[in-house]
Amino acid sequence: MKLNTQLTLPTLILGLVIVAIPFTANWNLPLLNGTVVRWIENGQALWLLFGAVFTFCYIRPLSRPEGEKQFWLWAAVWWLVLLGRSTSWGRDYFPEQPKILFRSISVVLIAMIILPVLLSKRLRQDIARRVRNEPLPLWLLAITAGAFLISDTVEHHRLLAPLFLHNAHYGDLIEELYELPFMAGLFLINLGFMQRDKQEEYSTVHVGEPQLAE
């Protein structure tokens, strides 16, 4: 595994956002009986849907060589799984529907993550290749993981929750705010992988072109 220790501007901004989020509880922002939190949750759902659509449109997985094709289809499904999880598999928007429907959606989406890894040798090989050769952005990865862990800590009131939650009345807001840099970090990591694949494709095409004599 290779690590990229470069500190980029987007990574620095996400780090500052994580530090600043707990202090929003000191501003006495109006929650509007949960409306503000619902707005944030809806924005998150749109962002996760955008992540799936952008991945599919930008990298065009069906046009990629074997291995990369399976990997990017799998990556797009991950965004859909996160979207499903963030909306309780659709229950948040259609609460009147039977529970079996949402359970079925969760089973199908999770199966679309697990089964390809078990059944596709090409996918496993491409994942292993990336783990060995792709430079992982260390600081961005740490901040993304940190935002997720803090959100989980606040949500479940774990031991360190008081460090990030200065006012229990704002618990839901702080939890949702910490999910924002988590989702942004995931997108930036994903974008970095896609850009490198695009660059490699561009280099391969141009290296293979015949050089015209002057």
Side-chain angles (χ1 to χ4, degrees):
M1 181 181 295
K2 300 178 181 178
L3 295 176
N4 180 0
T5 59
Q6 181 183 6
L7 183 61
T8 63
L9 180 59
T11 302
L12 180 60
I13 291 173
L14 287 182
L16 293 175
V17 168
I18 286 178
V19 173
I21 284 175
F23 298 99
T24 58
N26 302 335
W27 299 344
N28 296 319
L29 298 173
L31 297 177
L32 304 178
N33 295 319
T35 301
V36 172
V37 171
R38 285 195 296 273
W39 286 345
I40 296 174
E41 289 174 338
N42 291 338
Q44 291 172 351
L46 289 174
W47 178 255
L48 293 172
L49 179 60
F50 168 75
V53 173
F54 181 84
T55 298
F56 198 87
C57 294
Y58 182 83
I59 200 68
R60 291 183 298 168
L62 297 179
S63 68
R64 310 300 299 176
E66 292 297 317
E68 289 186 18
K69 177 193 300 182
Q70 288 82 355
F71 178 83
W72 287 115
L73 287 172
W74 185 65
V77 172
W78 263 108
W79 287 106
L80 295 180
V81 171
L82 291 174
L83 171 62
R85 180 63 186 86
S86 73
T87 60
S88 299
W89 313 107
R91 187 182 296 112
D92 291 350
Y93 296 111
F94 305 100
E96 71 283 355
Q97 298 300 320
K99 292 183 179 180
I100 186 63
L101 173 63
F102 307 116
R103 186 174 296 274
S104 299
I105 292 173
S106 68
V107 169
V108 169
L109 287 176
I110 293 173
M112 290 173 66
I113 286 294
I114 297 175
L115 291 180
V117 178
L118 298 177
L119 301 178
S120 174
K121 182 179 179 181
R122 296 278 193 175
L123 174 58
R124 294 196 300 273
Q125 289 175 337
D126 198 67
I127 292 173
R129 176 184 67 82
R130 292 176 188 277
V131 171
R132 289 194 305 267
N133 301 326
E134 288 277 2
L136 293 176
L138 176 62
W139 296 114
L140 180 57
L141 190 62
I143 287 173
T144 303
F148 172 77
L149 292 175
I150 295 171
S151 175
D152 181 74
T153 296
V154 172
E155 179 183 7
H156 295 99
H157 307 286
R158 303 191 193 281
L159 181 62
L160 298 179
L163 292 177
F164 311 103
L165 182 58
H166 298 170
N167 185 335
H169 182 62
Y170 289 89
D172 290 342
L173 177 64
I174 297 300
E175 174 200 343
E176 298 301 331
L177 288 178
Y178 267 113
E179 289 183 359
L180 297 179
F182 165 66
M183 294 179 184
L186 281 181
F187 180 81
L188 291 174
I189 293 171
N190 187 58
L191 181 61
F193 280 120
M194 290 193 291
Q195 288 176 332
R196 280 191 291 274
D197 277 10
K198 285 279 192 178
Q199 290 170 355
E200 290 176 4
E201 178 187 34
Y202 180 83
S203 299
T204 301
V205 169
H206 282 265
V207 167
E209 289 179 350
Q211 301 296 318
L212 298 178
E214 295 183 359

